Amino acid sequence: MVKRSKVEVAVLGAGTAGMGAYRAARKHTDKLALVEASHYGTTCARVGCMPSKLLIAAAEAAHDARHADLFGVRTGEVSIDGSAVLKRVRDERDRFVSFVLDAVEDFPEEHRFRGQARFLSPHRLKVGDDHEIEADRVVIATGSRPNVPGFLKAAGDRLVVNDDIFEWQDLPESVAVFGPGVIGLELGQALGRLGVRVRMFGVGGSVGPIQDPEIRQCALDTFNREFPLNPDADTRKIERTADGVAITFDDGERGVVTETFDYLLAATGRRPNIDGLDIQNAGLELDDRGTPLFDHYTLRCGNSHIFIAGDVNNSQPLLHEAADEGRIAGNNAGRYPDVRAGLRRVPLSVVFTDPQIATVGKTIQEVDDACRGCFAVGSVSFEGQGRSRVIGRNRGLLRVYGEHGTGIFMGAEMFGPAAEHIGHLLAWCAQQRMTVSAMLDMPFYHPVIEEGVRTALRDLNHRLSIGPAVVEHCLDCGPGG
Ligand SMILES: Cc1cc2nc3c(=O)[nH]c(=O)nc-3n(C[C@H](O)[C@H](O)[C@H](O)COP(=O)(O)OP(=O)(O)OC[C@H]3O[C@@H](n4cnc5c(N)ncnc54)[C@H](O)[C@@H]3O)c2cc1C
Ligand SMILES: NC(=O)c1ccc[n+]([C@@H]2O[C@H](COP(=O)([O-])OP(=O)(O)OC[C@H]3O[C@@H](n4cnc5c(N)ncnc54)[C@H](O)[C@@H]3O)[C@@H](O)[C@H]2O)c1
C-alpha cells in the first residue's frame, strides 16, 4: 500500500546543500520533507573533504620528517604504519560524520524520509517503492558521484574510487591514478608521500583546476620531480592480472611499457546525480547533458517551483558553494513565489597538494574576454622569496591579473606555499573590487610569504603603467620580498 504525504517544500538529498536548504526552508514553513536515498553524513564528511585532508595531514607529517635534514635535524629513517595512518583517518572522519548525524537526528522525524526520490510529475515524487509525496515546491540537492570511464573497468576488483581508499585497512604497495584533477592530485600525492608507488595518467593536458599555462607548467615540473605524472598519457591496455592491474602505456623515451599496480584509482571527474530522478517528468528545460537550466543567483529552474543546489547542478562543485546554494534555494523554495537573488561570492578554489594550488576570481581566459585583451599579468616566483626559503617551502609561482585603465584586480592563480591563505586574501580583495594600488596600500608584515604577493602586485601595477618597476632585492620590501 502506497503511503501519501503532502508538504510545502520537499528537499531531495540530505548532503551539505540539502541540509542547508532544509534549514532555510524551515524558517518559512513546517510542512517539509527531507529525502535521503543513502547514508546520512554528507559526501564532504564521509568520503570527501575531511578524510582526504586527514590522509594529506599524515602524508605531510611523513614528508616533513623526511626533509628535516634540510635544517640539520636528523630524524633517522621514517617508517609508515599504514594501518595506524588509516585508523586515524577513519577515527577522525567518524567524529566529523557524527556531528552531521547528530544534526540530522535533531530534525523532526516526520520531516525525514528515506529512499530514492523520483519525479512522477512536476509536483509529485515517489520515494522508494511505497511512498508518494505531493510537494508545492522542490529543491534538488542530490550531489554527484565518481564518473568512471568504461575502459578503466578492465581493472576489475582492483578498480577503486575515493570512497574505497578510506576503507583500506592498510596501505598498498602501488596505485595507478587516472585523472590528475583535484582528487587525483590530492590523494595521489598523499599516497606517494606515505610510501605508495604512484603513477598518474591524464588526458588532454590538464592539471587540477589550473587554467594559466605558466602555472600549469610549473606545477607539472614540480609534481614530476616527486612522482611520474603524464597529463596526456597514451594508455594502450588495462588488464586485471594475478598480480594486480597491468597498465600498458607509451612512456616516451622508454617506448611502450607495462607496469603493474595493486590498484587503479579512478579520479576522472564526478557526475551529477540527476539520472536517477526521472527528471523528464519534472517539466523542466534541460541542457545537453540533461541538467535543468537554472539561474545562478536564485537557483530556480526556469520559471518553475523547482530549485537546484550543490554538486548536482554541475556548476561549482565545492563545499562552500554547495552550502551557499542550499541556503539560497531553500530560502527561495520557502518564500516562493517571492523568489530573490542570493549572495554569490567570488570564485575561490584550493587544492591541498604541496605546494598548494589556489585559483581566485576570473581565470586568465575570462580576464582576457572581460577586458577584451586589455589586461596585464604580474608574477612572483617563490624560489627566492624570503620567508618561503626560511621554512624550506620555496617552490612555485603566483600570477595576478589586472585590468588596464581601471587598475582593478581581476583574478589570480597560484602554485606555492600557503596558497590556502593567500587565496583567501586575494579572493576578499577581488570581491571588494579593489584596485591593485589599493591592495598595495594594505599592511605587509616582515618576513612573511605575503611579501611575495606584494612583489607580484607591484609587478602587475608596473605592467599596468601605474607603478614603478619592481626593484630587485629592495630593502624596504624586506629581504627576498
Ligand atoms: C574526495 C573529495 C574531496 C573533496 N574535497 C573538497 C575540499 O577540500 N573542499 C571543497 O570545497 N570541496 C571538496 N569536495 C567537494 C565537496 O565534497 C562537494 O562539493 C560537496 O560535498 C557537495 O555537497 P552536496 O550537498 O551537493 O552533495 P552530497 O553531500 O553528496 O549530498 C547529496 C545527497 O543526496 C543523496 N541522493 C542522491 N540521489 C538521491 C535521490 N534520488 N533521492 C534522495 N537522495 C539522493 C545522496 O545520497 C547524498 O546524501 C571534495 C569531494 C571529494 C569527492
Ligand atoms: N580541494 C578541493 O576543493 C577539492 C578536492 C577534491 C575534490 N573537489 C571537487 O570535486 C570535483 C571532482 O574532482 P575530480 O578530481 O574527480 O574531478 P576533476 O574534474 O577535478 O578532474 C578530473 C580529471 O580527470 C581527467 N580525466 C578525465 N577522463 C580521463 C581519462 N579517461 N583518463 C585519465 N584522466 C582523465 C581530467 O582531464 C581531469 O584532469 C572537483 O572538480 C572539485 O570541485 C575539490
Side-chain angles (χ1 to χ4, degrees):
M1 176 91 160
V2 175
K3 280 185 8 197
R4 290 176 203 281
S5 307
K6 185 164 179 352
V7 297
E8 279 195 37
V9 176
V11 178
L12 314 185
T16 301
M19 288 173 68
Y22 167 82
R23 288 195 182 97
R26 206 172 161 198
K27 295 196 172 124
H28 300 273
T29 174
D30 205 39
K31 291 189 188 129
L32 288 162
L34 176 63
V35 185
E36 174 52 53
S38 177
H39 306 283
Y40 287 128
T42 76
T43 291
C44 175
R46 282 192 322 102
V47 292
C49 330
M50 301 316 277
S52 59
K53 265 79 256 176
L54 285 160
L55 190 76
I56 290 166
E60 276 176 3
H63 184 78
D64 288 348
R66 276 193 207 105
H67 289 80
D69 237 31
L70 173 72
F71 304 98
V73 177
R74 318 273 177 240
T75 55
E77 203 187 322
V78 174
S79 73
I80 309 288
D81 179 344
S83 69
V85 166
L86 290 159
K87 181 175 181 318
R88 177 174 189 267
V89 168
R90 273 192 296 278
D91 287 351
E92 290 294 319
R93 183 269 315 262
D94 291 348
R95 190 171 158 275
F96 292 124
V97 170
S98 75
F99 297 143
V100 184
L101 299 183
D102 290 347
V104 175
E105 279 295 309
D106 280 347
F107 300 158
E109 209 176 330
E110 64 272 22
H111 289 177
R112 286 185 266 139
F113 294 71
R114 296 304 291 271
Q116 171 90 11
R118 288 178 291 127
F119 281 92
L120 297 173
S121 72
H123 285 283
R124 277 175 52 239
L125 299 159
K126 184 120 189 197
V127 176
D129 295 328
D130 56 1
H131 212 129
E132 268 186 41
I133 299 177
E134 197 179 322
D136 294 338
R137 282 93 66 192
V138 180
V139 177
I140 303 172
T142 48
S144 62
R145 63 182 186 279
N147 179 38
V148 182
F151 80 101
L152 299 185
K153 297 198 171 135
D157 60 340
R158 296 303 179 95
L159 174 65
V160 291
V161 294
N162 56 290
D163 305 31
D164 304 308
I165 286 184
F166 310 122
E167 297 309 321
W168 281 342
Q169 296 304 309
D170 204 347
L171 290 167
E173 186 275 324
S174 53
V175 176
V177 178
F178 275 72
V182 190
I183 293 177
L185 288 175
E186 286 191 350
L187 295 181
Q189 185 184 45
L191 290 171
R193 289 184 169 192
L194 290 167
V196 178
R197 176 169 56 89
V198 166
R199 178 178 280 278
M200 282 194 205
F201 300 82
V203 286
S206 73
V207 179
I210 302 173
Q211 298 296 317
D212 188 313
E214 290 195 26
I215 303 277
R216 186 185 299 134
Q217 194 55 51
C218 177
L220 203 49
D221 295 344
T222 307
F223 287 134
N224 261 300
R225 285 197 280 274
E226 192 171 331
F227 48 80
L229 188 179
N230 185 342
D232 199 11
D234 180 1
T235 308
R236 302 285 172 87
K237 191 174 173 193
I238 294 172
E239 192 183 6
R240 171 72 167 102
T241 63
D243 298 331
V245 189
I247 300 176
T248 305
F249 57 98
D250 188 338
D251 195 31
E253 282 175 12
R254 280 205 300 159
V256 174
V257 295
T258 300
E259 252 182 61
T260 297
F261 300 85
D262 288 338
Y263 289 98
L264 188 162
L265 169 63
T268 38
R270 292 178 66 86
R271 148 200 300 233
N273 288 326
I274 203 85
D275 43 354
L277 284 171
D278 284 345
I279 196 75
Q280 71 281 1
N281 298 331
L284 301 175
E285 197 182 339
L286 308 178
D287 68 15
D288 51 10
R289 289 185 294 183
T291 304
L293 299 178
F294 69 98
D295 180 89
H296 176 70
Y297 295 97
T298 61
L299 282 312
R300 184 179 185 184
C301 302
N303 282 324
S304 77
H305 58 287
I306 300 175
F307 301 81
I308 186 162
D311 279 16
V312 66
N313 70 27
N314 217 5
S315 105
Q316 297 175 93
L318 295 171
L319 190 278
H320 68 282
E321 298 287 356
D324 280 353
E325 291 181 359
R327 217 167 20 244
I328 296 168
N331 183 37
N332 277 331
R335 65 186 314 126
Y336 184 88
D338 178 16
V339 170
R340 302 208 182 151
L343 170 71
R344 300 312 308 263
R345 300 169 218 256
V346 151
L348 167 66
S349 84
V350 174
V351 184
F352 294 84
T353 46
D354 175 31
Q356 297 180 332
I357 301 166
T359 66
V360 171
K362 294 196 188 317
T363 66
I364 191 162
Q365 292 84 0
E366 287 168 349
V367 173
D368 193 6
D369 286 348
C371 304
R372 283 177 297 217
C374 286
F375 73 103
V377 181
S379 68
V380 68
S381 158
F382 288 96
E383 301 280 328
Q385 202 271 327
R387 176 69 176 155
S388 308
R389 270 197 98 83
V390 166
I391 59 174
R393 298 198 172 270
N394 52 317
R395 294 180 303 161
L397 186 66
L398 165 67
R399 305 228 313 149
V400 287
Y401 318 130
E403 185 179 42
H404 268 297
T406 63
I408 288 176
F409 171 64
M410 306 288 285
E413 273 191 13
M414 176 171 178
F415 176 68
E420 68 178 282
H421 305 298
I422 287 169
H424 277 84
L425 295 183
L426 293 174
W428 296 349
C429 294
Q431 189 157 318
Q432 294 299 314
R433 296 174 200 271
M434 286 172 79
T435 59
V436 178
S437 302
M439 290 163 77
L440 283 167
D441 286 346
M442 297 292 158
F444 290 82
Y445 206 73
H446 173 71
V448 292
I449 297 169
E450 285 76 0
E451 288 175 297
V453 178
R454 182 176 59 188
T455 302
L457 291 172
R458 282 180 173 161
D459 184 36
L460 175 56
N461 243 6
H462 175 60
R463 290 168 196 274
L464 291 170
S465 309
I466 292 173
V470 175
V471 182
E472 286 276 321
H473 307 302
C474 132
L475 278 184
D476 81 321
C477 320

